[in-house]
Short mmCIF file of all heavy atoms in Angstrom, two decimals:
data_model
loop_
_atom_site.label_atom_id
_atom_site.label_comp_id
_atom_site.label_asym_id
_atom_site.label_seq_id
_atom_site.Cartn_x
_atom_site.Cartn_y
_atom_site.Cartn_z
N HIS A 1443 15.94 7.54 15.38
CA HIS A 1443 15.17 7.52 14.15
C HIS A 1443 14.18 6.39 14.21
O HIS A 1443 14.47 5.33 14.84
CB HIS A 1443 16.08 7.38 12.91
CG HIS A 1443 16.80 8.64 12.58
ND1 HIS A 1443 18.19 8.68 12.58
CD2 HIS A 1443 16.37 9.86 12.27
CE1 HIS A 1443 18.54 9.93 12.27
NE2 HIS A 1443 17.47 10.65 12.08
N LEU A 1444 13.04 6.55 13.55
CA LEU A 1444 11.99 5.52 13.53
C LEU A 1444 12.57 4.17 13.10
O LEU A 1444 12.25 3.13 13.67
CB LEU A 1444 10.90 6.01 12.57
CG LEU A 1444 9.68 5.11 12.41
CD1 LEU A 1444 9.03 4.80 13.75
CD2 LEU A 1444 8.70 5.74 11.45
N GLU A 1445 13.45 4.20 12.10
CA GLU A 1445 14.06 2.96 11.59
C GLU A 1445 14.79 2.15 12.69
O GLU A 1445 14.82 0.93 12.69
CB GLU A 1445 15.06 3.33 10.49
CG GLU A 1445 15.93 2.16 10.06
CD GLU A 1445 17.05 2.60 9.15
OE1 GLU A 1445 17.73 3.62 9.49
OE2 GLU A 1445 17.30 1.92 8.15
N ASN A 1446 15.39 2.87 13.64
CA ASN A 1446 16.19 2.25 14.68
C ASN A 1446 15.47 2.14 16.04
O ASN A 1446 16.06 1.82 17.04
CB ASN A 1446 17.51 3.02 14.89
CG ASN A 1446 18.34 3.03 13.67
OD1 ASN A 1446 18.47 2.03 13.01
ND2 ASN A 1446 18.90 4.17 13.36
N CYS A 1447 14.17 2.42 16.01
CA CYS A 1447 13.40 2.42 17.27
C CYS A 1447 12.19 1.51 17.10
O CYS A 1447 12.25 0.31 17.25
CB CYS A 1447 13.05 3.86 17.62
SG CYS A 1447 12.40 4.03 19.29
N CYS A 1448 11.02 2.10 16.81
CA CYS A 1448 9.77 1.32 16.80
C CYS A 1448 9.48 0.62 15.48
O CYS A 1448 8.70 -0.36 15.46
CB CYS A 1448 8.62 2.25 17.13
SG CYS A 1448 8.72 2.82 18.89
N SER A 1449 10.03 1.09 14.40
CA SER A 1449 9.71 0.47 13.09
C SER A 1449 9.95 -1.03 13.03
O SER A 1449 9.10 -1.77 12.49
CB SER A 1449 10.49 1.19 12.00
OG SER A 1449 10.18 0.62 10.72
N PRO A 1450 11.07 -1.54 13.53
CA PRO A 1450 11.27 -3.02 13.49
C PRO A 1450 10.20 -3.79 14.20
O PRO A 1450 9.83 -4.88 13.78
CB PRO A 1450 12.65 -3.20 14.16
CG PRO A 1450 13.34 -1.91 13.99
CD PRO A 1450 12.26 -0.87 14.10
N TYR A 1451 9.64 -3.25 15.28
CA TYR A 1451 8.54 -3.95 15.97
C TYR A 1451 7.28 -3.89 15.17
O TYR A 1451 6.59 -4.88 15.06
CB TYR A 1451 8.31 -3.31 17.36
CG TYR A 1451 9.52 -3.15 18.25
CD1 TYR A 1451 9.81 -1.95 18.87
CD2 TYR A 1451 10.38 -4.21 18.44
CE1 TYR A 1451 10.95 -1.83 19.66
CE2 TYR A 1451 11.52 -4.11 19.26
CZ TYR A 1451 11.79 -2.92 19.86
OH TYR A 1451 12.90 -2.78 20.66
N ILE A 1452 7.01 -2.70 14.60
CA ILE A 1452 5.73 -2.53 13.92
C ILE A 1452 5.71 -3.21 12.56
O ILE A 1452 4.70 -3.82 12.20
CB ILE A 1452 5.46 -0.99 13.77
CG1 ILE A 1452 5.27 -0.39 15.15
CG2 ILE A 1452 4.24 -0.72 12.87
CD1 ILE A 1452 5.24 1.14 15.14
N TYR A 1453 6.82 -3.05 11.80
CA TYR A 1453 6.81 -3.53 10.38
C TYR A 1453 7.52 -4.88 10.15
O TYR A 1453 7.23 -5.55 9.20
CB TYR A 1453 7.36 -2.48 9.50
CG TYR A 1453 6.56 -1.23 9.40
CD1 TYR A 1453 7.03 -0.03 9.91
CD2 TYR A 1453 5.27 -1.30 8.82
CE1 TYR A 1453 6.24 1.10 9.85
CE2 TYR A 1453 4.52 -0.14 8.76
CZ TYR A 1453 4.99 1.06 9.26
OH TYR A 1453 4.23 2.19 9.21
N ASP A 1454 8.48 -5.23 11.01
CA ASP A 1454 9.31 -6.39 10.73
C ASP A 1454 9.11 -7.53 11.64
O ASP A 1454 9.80 -8.57 11.55
CB ASP A 1454 10.83 -5.96 10.76
CG ASP A 1454 11.14 -4.83 9.79
OD1 ASP A 1454 10.47 -4.77 8.73
OD2 ASP A 1454 12.09 -4.04 10.10
N GLY A 1455 8.21 -7.45 12.59
CA GLY A 1455 7.91 -8.54 13.49
C GLY A 1455 8.96 -8.83 14.53
O GLY A 1455 8.97 -9.89 15.14
N VAL A 1456 9.88 -7.87 14.79
CA VAL A 1456 10.85 -8.04 15.83
C VAL A 1456 10.15 -8.05 17.19
O VAL A 1456 9.22 -7.26 17.45
CB VAL A 1456 11.94 -6.91 15.79
CG1 VAL A 1456 12.85 -6.94 16.96
CG2 VAL A 1456 12.68 -6.95 14.46
#
Side-chain angles (χ1 to χ4, degrees):
H1443 285 119
L1444 181 56
E1445 170 192 44
N1446 298 318
C1447 193
C1448 292
S1449 181
Y1451 307 131
I1452 296 169
Y1453 294 113
D1454 302 332
V1456 172

